Amino acid sequence: MAARAGQGASARGAGGWAQRALLALLLLGCALPAAAIGGLDAFSVTTDGDGTQTWSVTLQVLVLMTALSLLPALLLAMTSFTRIVIVLAILRQALGTAQTPSNQILVGLALFMTFFIMMPVLDTVYREAAAPYLADEIGGAEALDRAAGPMRTFMLEQTRESDLSLFNELSGRQAPATPDDVPFSVLAPSFITSELKTAFQIGFLIFLPFLIIDLVVASVLMSMGMMMLSPLIISLPFKIMLFVLVDGWALIVGTLAASFYA
């Protein structure tokens, strides 16, 4: 009997919580239309006398937090990071050193190289967009338009015309008259595709000398009848020695940096 009474009390308690939750949802549903009609001061957009719009501080913080959540995707899609990290990964695969250097080291090197390569673009964005916006000389919309200009220029310089034509045809648009007329929805996938093609082309050229060393070592081992010995064990020291003697890291980093401003 006591157990049944406890179960009944629990059921009544659960039902009470459900009723309270339903009542809260109903009150919230009634309050939202009123808030939409009256407007919330924290999320307001004010139109100035000259036609420009000023966002409230809370709305600006909301937009900033949303932009920060999209920052990794923007870093991958709109900068040199994609090409660099793919080439470094192919280089590690060609050397046959498994997880050396580790993923953290490769990503860190790719990030610092990305900041180095993108520094002229970032300086232009800060000088023409960020600094006037922080000084309250321009609005947020104009700052975004000014910041998009240098990024579009950088992306267009690295994008193949064939990729632009492909995605422009897939979108059903007419061919743009000038590069400035290319919409960002076409430019972004075209840029990423071009970066992938370039990265794999550079990776192929890097892979060739190490592949030749593997073939020579495998042929020597086969001629000596040492078929049970893995060629990788013998070829790895020779590949590392070759890479160190030719100052491979300086060549790779210098070639990658120069490929964006050739």
Side-chain angles (χ1 to χ4, degrees):
M1 295 294 293
R4 293 180 180 177
Q7 293 177 356
S10 300
R12 289 193 298 271
W17 279 107
Q19 292 177 359
R20 294 191 189 97
L22 180 60
L23 180 61
L25 289 176
L26 291 175
L27 292 175
L28 181 61
C30 295
L32 285 177
I37 296 174
L40 296 176
D41 294 336
F43 298 94
S44 61
V45 179
T46 305
T47 303
D48 300 330
D50 56 355
T52 60
Q53 292 182 341
T54 303
W55 297 358
S56 62
V57 176
T58 308
L59 188 57
Q60 294 181 25
V61 172
L62 179 62
V63 173
L64 178 61
M65 296 303 295
T66 304
L68 289 177
S69 64
L70 297 175
L71 187 60
L74 296 177
L75 177 64
L76 294 175
M78 299 173 59
T79 64
S80 58
F81 180 82
T82 302
R83 183 189 305 184
I84 297 171
V85 75
I86 290 177
V87 170
L88 294 178
I90 294 177
L91 171 63
R92 184 177 64 180
Q93 185 70 24
L95 284 171
T97 54
Q99 295 299 318
T100 304
S102 63
N103 292 330
Q104 291 84 353
I105 295 176
L106 292 185
V107 172
L109 178 59
L111 283 174
F112 279 106
M113 286 192 61
T114 300
F115 291 141
F116 173 77
I117 293 170
M118 299 296 297
M119 190 56 64
V121 180
L122 297 178
D123 287 340
T124 304
V125 170
Y126 178 80
R127 185 174 59 255
E128 297 182 357
Y133 175 73
L134 295 176
D136 293 332
E137 298 177 359
I138 58 175
E142 185 177 354
L144 290 177
D145 291 338
R146 291 188 180 185
M151 295 301 301
R152 284 178 56 89
T153 302
F154 172 80
M155 296 171 67
L156 283 170
E157 290 176 351
Q158 308 301 325
T159 305
R160 292 177 171 83
E161 295 183 2
S162 58
D163 295 325
L164 283 174
S165 301
L166 171 64
F167 284 97
N168 193 71
E169 293 176 0
L170 292 176
S171 63
R173 301 174 182 268
Q174 296 182 353
T178 61
D180 295 335
D181 297 333
V182 178
F184 186 78
S185 59
V186 174
L187 178 59
S190 303
F191 173 76
I192 297 174
T193 305
S194 296
E195 287 296 286
L196 291 175
K197 289 181 180 179
T198 305
F200 277 91
Q201 288 177 355
I202 298 175
F204 171 75
L205 296 177
I206 293 174
F207 217 107
L208 280 180
F210 300 108
L211 179 61
I212 293 174
I213 294 177
D214 288 333
L215 292 175
V216 170
V217 172
S219 300
V220 172
L221 292 178
M222 287 288 292
S223 64
M224 296 176 62
M226 304 173 65
M227 293 177 292
M228 301 301 295
L229 181 62
S230 175
L232 181 60
I233 299 177
I234 307 300
S235 63
L236 179 58
F238 289 100
K239 290 190 290 187
I240 294 178
M241 181 182 65
L242 173 65
F243 191 70
V244 172
L245 289 178
V246 300
D247 199 5
W249 286 113
L251 289 176
I252 296 297
V253 171
T255 302
L256 283 173
S259 65
F260 289 94
Y261 297 102

